Amino acid sequence: FSMIFSLKDYVHLNDLLIHKSYVDLFTRNHLQTFQDFLDYQGGEVFRRNRLRSVVKMELKDPENLSFFFHMKRHELSWKERLVSLFHLGRAQDGEHEWRRLLEFCGAGIPTTFPVVFARQRFLGFPWKSMTVTEHLYETQRLEEFIPSCFSGEGAQDLRFKRKILKQMAALCREFHQMASNHTELYLGAFF
């Protein structure tokens, strides 16, 4: 983690829930409301469809140092909105992801650090939401790391391979003990 996790470290800024150590950075970069994030046009777009977008953002601090974040904007389809009626307003949207990130951080499971959350409701039911997480610096996806690590001149020995397998198995066990199911359990989702 980039910092020690505590729920006490989150504050409300307008309609945002934000980690207090980032308030100045986001304010300085004119991102102070949910609408500011919805209207944000900068960054590198990873995915975009009608209902979800993922954008890598670069923000500068007063010393002109760069900080990177990943913003996921969610909008529920009409079908998902109707389904949420039957689940008392609980939908599989950004709020679900935000709560899971908080749980994982609180349990000490290494994951992207949750920085900002916001949502809009329509008649009390989920409609739009947004999560911002801190970029994972100096990491490599396992799908890239494993081939480069286990072939060619610098190939690692069997003990190192087993160590990685044991770490992955332990992480999956922790994950499932928290009653979580990772629907995207593939090497590209691990760093």
Side-chain angles (χ1 to χ4, degrees):
F1 300 116
S2 61
M3 59 186 62
I4 296 171
F5 177 80
S6 171
L7 281 174
K8 297 175 187 171
D9 291 331
Y10 289 87
V11 296
H12 288 277
L13 173 66
N14 302 312
D15 53 353
L16 305 173
L17 181 61
I18 183 170
H19 194 278
K20 64 184 178 184
S21 64
Y22 293 100
V23 171
D24 290 339
L25 179 65
F26 282 90
T27 300
R28 175 181 177 80
N29 286 275
H30 311 289
L31 294 166
Q32 301 174 58
T33 67
F34 187 26
Q35 194 61 49
D36 293 340
F37 283 94
L38 292 178
D39 294 340
Y40 184 79
Q41 296 297 312
E44 176 186 349
V45 176
F46 284 125
R47 281 183 218 112
R48 176 171 285 157
N49 63 37
R50 187 171 69 75
L51 302 173
R52 183 173 179 212
S53 67
V54 181
V55 177
K56 181 178 180 183
M57 307 166 66
E58 178 182 5
L59 303 179
K60 302 281 187 173
D61 75 356
E63 287 81 39
N64 210 30
L65 294 174
S66 291
F67 292 84
F68 296 93
F69 301 91
H70 296 271
M71 174 177 52
K72 294 180 183 176
R73 294 178 278 206
H74 305 263
E75 182 172 348
L76 295 180
S77 68
W78 281 104
K79 178 183 175 186
E80 290 168 321
R81 291 178 203 177
L82 290 173
V83 168
S84 77
L85 286 171
F86 298 105
H87 292 100
L88 302 174
R90 287 175 276 159
Q92 299 292 316
D93 64 347
E95 182 177 4
H96 176 76
E97 180 179 342
W98 177 258
R99 289 183 187 280
R100 298 310 290 184
L101 285 171
L102 294 177
E103 287 178 41
F104 296 150
C105 288
I109 294 175
T111 187
T112 55
F113 190 81
V115 178
V116 180
F117 173 73
R119 71 171 175 226
Q120 289 179 344
R121 291 185 169 263
F122 179 73
L123 299 174
F125 293 96
W127 179 35
K128 293 182 181 182
S129 59
M130 179 265 316
T131 59
V132 176
T133 56
E134 186 177 16
H135 178 71
L136 294 173
Y137 300 97
E138 299 178 19
T139 61
Q140 186 178 20
R141 292 180 186 277
L142 275 183
E143 69 184 359
E144 299 162 356
F145 174 75
I146 287 177
S148 69
C149 189
F150 298 125
S151 62
E153 289 180 27
Q156 296 291 328
D157 64 8
L158 188 57
R159 285 177 293 191
F160 186 70
K161 291 177 185 180
R162 286 185 178 146
K163 178 181 175 184
I164 288 177
L165 286 172
K166 285 179 183 178
Q167 287 175 337
M168 288 297 301
L171 180 63
C172 290
R173 182 181 59 241
E174 284 183 68
F175 208 72
H176 291 122
Q177 286 174 341
M178 294 180 67
S180 282
N181 296 312
H182 197 302
T183 58
E184 298 176 346
L185 193 58
Y186 55 91
L187 294 180
F190 293 91
F191 292 81

